[in-house]
């Protein structure tokens, strides 16, 4: 199926991601049926879409009549049968639970027309496993939007083990239609690009504090004021939700073993229900708003330590032919607001320096997470040291 023939879509789940995806689709001319478990939930989601479209119109991002036309393309229902029966595309945006999503994909496959493409907005789970629940694994693809979907520019497209070229092209063309910058995850690995790299960065920051080598405020000050990140690492962890990070950490450890051994620093907080911004407290107290990160602590932690872990995670993605350096850098800049991507940063620092940093960390802690991806010493051996040599992950001459 081609994007040009896309007339009707269904979105399964109307939470912040689901209703945002539905809004994107109706804004670009597609008729959408949004399905959820209750009329009350759907009514609230519809109100949020209406509000968002009105804000776009107020800011003159779209015309008022276009907002009205978009709303006219939206339907809501609690019936999967009704939502899926004539859909060309279904995007699942249910909670991050593999068993739940497997059951949903089996239902989607049973109720949808044979030509329909089935997408999942999962941020970490296996597209291949979801595809196995259907009789059309070639038409199953990952469509990982970022929150809020109507504002964030990135779309990660994930190929499952049996996702076809035709389905991949449809997903890439859909990204263009929706005005998104797409990156292709060529192989189905846990965490994909953005969450895979973020997981390694979060984990190293957590370990550094758990080992009493620094404080969360020192890490966050360095990453905000030295590195120019939009948020500090612990601040971002609270914003994402410590329960979600805990789930991602378990997925990554299951997939990569000791290479992704998680810190346990946030476990007491999760057990106490202190999950971050959404509960008012996590690493920081959010009751009075966004925490103040002291500028005077900015030189107390070296951002290169986290850059090193990001570069190693990126190297594994390139080594395993999951993604290109260009797509990795684009994903981190457009998906997380990083000023530079991890491959660009590694080239700037020097691949040889990254390898030395990993050797030093491994010598200090003897943990598999600090073992260098084979690609990095190979680059050093071949003189691909980064910008100073004219080539590293990228070419500069």
């Amino acid at each position: 199926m081609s994007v040009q023939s896309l007339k009707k879509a269904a979105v399964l789940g109307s939470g912040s991601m689901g209703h945002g995806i539905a809004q994107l689709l109706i804004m670009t001319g597609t008729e959408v049926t949004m399905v959820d478990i209750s009329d009350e939930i759907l009514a609230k989601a519809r109100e949020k879409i209406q509000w968002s479209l009105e804000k776009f119109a107020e800011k003159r991002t779209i015309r008022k009549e276009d907002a009205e036309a978009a709303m006219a393309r939206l339907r809501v229902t609690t019936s999967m049968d009704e939502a899926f029966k004539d859909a060309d595309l279904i995007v699942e945006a249910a909670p991050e639970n593999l068993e739940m999503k497997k059951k949903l994909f089996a239902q989607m496959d049973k109720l949808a027309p044979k030509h329909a493409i089935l997408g999942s907005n999962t941020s970490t789970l296996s597209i291949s496993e979801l595809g196995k629940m259907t009789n059309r694994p070639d038409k199953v693809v990952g469509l990982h939007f970022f929150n809020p979907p109507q504002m964030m520019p990135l779309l990660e497209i994930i190929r499952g083990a049996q996702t076809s070229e035709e389905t991949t092209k449809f997903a890439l063309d859909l990204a263009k239609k929706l005005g998104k910058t797409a990156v292709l995850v060529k192989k189905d690995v846990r965490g994909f690009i953005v969450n895979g790299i973020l997981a390694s960065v979060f984990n190293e920051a957590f370990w550094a504090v758990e080992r009493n080598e620094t404080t969360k405020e020192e890490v966050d000050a360095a990453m905000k004021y030295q590195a120019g990140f939009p948020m500090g690492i612990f601040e971002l962890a609270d914003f994402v939700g410590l329960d979600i990070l805990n789930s991602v950490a378990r997925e990554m450890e299951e997939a990569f073993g000791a290479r992704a051994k998680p810190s346990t620093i946030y476990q007491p907080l999760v057990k106490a229900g202190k999950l971050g911004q959404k509960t008012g407290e996590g690493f920081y107290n959010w009751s009075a708003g966004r925490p103040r990160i002291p500028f005077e602590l900015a030189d107390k932690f070296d951002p290169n330590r986290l850059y090193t872990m990001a570069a190693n995670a990126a190297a594994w993605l390139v080594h395993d032919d999951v993604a290109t350096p260009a797509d990795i850098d684009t994903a981190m800049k457009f998906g997380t607001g990083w000023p530079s991507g991890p491959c660009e940063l590694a080239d700037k620092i020097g691949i040889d320096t990254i390898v030395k940093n990993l050797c030093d960390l491994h010598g200090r802690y003897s943990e598999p997470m600090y073992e260098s991806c084979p690609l990095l010493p190979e680059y050093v051996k071949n003189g691909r040291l980064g910008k100073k040599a004219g080539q590293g992950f990228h070419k500069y001459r």
Side-chain angles (χ1 to χ4, degrees):
M1 196 183 83
S2 68
V3 163
Q4 291 73 26
S5 61
L6 172 62
K7 304 300 179 189
K8 295 184 177 183
V11 176
L12 175 55
S14 63
S16 59
M17 296 303 294
H19 79 250
I21 295 165
Q23 181 180 329
L24 278 172
L25 288 163
I26 61 173
M27 287 175 69
T28 50
T30 304
E31 291 182 27
V32 174
T33 303
M34 191 165 54
V35 60
D36 214 316
I37 58 174
S38 80
D39 292 327
E40 183 183 0
I41 291 171
L42 287 164
K44 287 180 181 177
R46 189 182 179 91
E47 286 173 11
K48 288 175 182 176
I49 293 173
Q50 179 83 55
W51 177 87
S52 179
L53 288 170
E54 287 173 357
K55 286 295 179 185
F56 278 129
E58 281 176 24
K59 294 177 181 178
R60 299 187 179 181
T61 305
I62 60 174
R63 297 180 303 173
K64 184 179 179 182
E65 53 266 41
D66 291 335
E68 291 170 353
M71 280 305 296
R73 287 189 283 268
L74 180 66
R75 302 283 184 274
V76 297
T77 182
T78 56
S79 167
M80 288 192 193
D81 194 4
E82 181 184 340
F84 301 159
K85 65 182 179 183
D86 56 358
D88 302 310
L89 166 70
I90 303 174
V91 182
E92 168 271 313
E96 283 289 271
N97 180 297
L98 183 59
E99 292 309 311
M100 177 195 294
K101 287 181 188 282
K102 281 182 175 181
K103 291 175 184 176
L104 291 173
F105 264 77
Q107 288 179 280
M108 288 156 61
D109 181 55
K110 180 181 176 182
L111 297 172
K114 296 297 181 187
H115 72 277
I117 288 172
L118 310 181
S120 176
N121 183 55
T122 178
S123 57
T124 56
L125 301 175
S126 171
I127 301 302
S128 303
E129 289 300 309
L130 298 179
K132 287 178 184 177
M133 302 305 296
T134 75
N135 292 309
R136 63 181 96 191
D138 59 312
K139 290 183 171 66
V140 174
V141 65
L143 298 171
H144 179 212
F145 292 85
F146 288 73
N147 198 12
Q150 59 270 56
M151 299 296 293
M152 292 294 285
L154 186 70
L155 177 57
E156 277 187 315
I157 293 167
I158 304 98
R159 294 190 65 163
Q162 296 189 56
T163 305
S164 69
E165 290 291 344
E166 182 184 4
T167 299
T168 302
K169 184 180 186 305
F170 173 90
L172 291 166
D173 290 343
L174 178 66
K176 286 182 185 176
K177 181 177 180 178
L178 299 178
K180 300 300 178 188
T181 297
V183 292
L184 180 61
V185 183
K186 296 184 279 184
K187 290 181 182 176
D188 185 14
V189 298
R190 300 291 175 86
F192 315 137
I193 298 172
V194 173
N195 284 325
I197 290 172
L198 275 182
S200 67
V201 170
F202 276 127
N203 206 32
E204 184 58 21
F206 294 164
W207 274 115
V209 172
E210 185 171 334
R211 293 171 181 143
N212 294 315
E213 297 166 350
T214 185
T215 66
K216 66 179 188 293
E217 291 85 3
E218 288 171 351
V219 172
D220 282 2
M223 299 316 291
K224 286 187 72 165
Y225 308 126
Q226 272 197 69
F229 281 28
M231 301 180 85
I233 302 301
F234 290 85
E235 187 183 13
L236 179 59
D238 275 355
F239 184 77
V240 171
L242 302 189
D243 52 337
I244 293 172
L245 289 186
N246 189 38
S247 176
V248 171
R250 286 201 306 268
E251 288 289 333
M252 298 299 287
E253 186 179 25
E254 182 182 322
F256 300 111
R259 202 172 97 197
K261 178 183 175 182
S263 161
T264 59
I265 193 170
Y266 50 84
Q267 292 294 345
L269 294 171
V270 172
K271 288 178 182 176
K274 297 177 180 181
L275 307 179
Q277 184 190 37
K278 61 189 173 186
T279 60
E281 189 175 357
F283 285 114
Y284 294 103
N285 189 321
W286 292 77
S287 59
R290 190 168 175 175
R292 180 188 168 273
I293 311 300
F295 181 81
E296 58 270 20
L297 299 178
D299 62 349
K300 300 293 185 181
F301 179 80
D302 185 2
N304 283 331
R305 179 161 174 179
L306 303 190
Y307 292 159
T308 293
M309 301 308 293
N312 201 37
W316 278 110
L317 292 173
V318 177
H319 177 270
D320 294 339
D321 196 30
V322 172
T324 65
D327 273 356
I328 292 168
D329 286 344
T330 295
M332 297 310 293
K333 288 187 287 188
F334 282 73
T336 67
W338 284 19
S340 299
C343 299
E344 293 169 325
L345 287 166
D347 282 353
K348 182 179 178 181
I349 294 165
I351 306 291
D352 51 341
T353 302
I354 296 293
V355 171
K356 181 182 182 302
N357 291 345
L358 287 166
C359 286
D360 290 346
L361 287 164
H362 191 265
R364 197 182 311 166
Y365 304 113
S366 300
E367 293 280 4
M369 69 184 79
Y370 301 115
E371 291 174 1
S372 176
C373 169
L375 186 69
L376 295 174
E378 181 185 323
Y379 276 3
V380 173
K381 181 181 177 182
N382 294 330
R384 293 177 61 167
L385 305 182
K387 243 180 174 179
K388 61 189 174 187
Q391 187 176 8
F393 281 103
H394 301 284
K395 287 185 179 180
Y396 297 92
R397 291 175 189 165

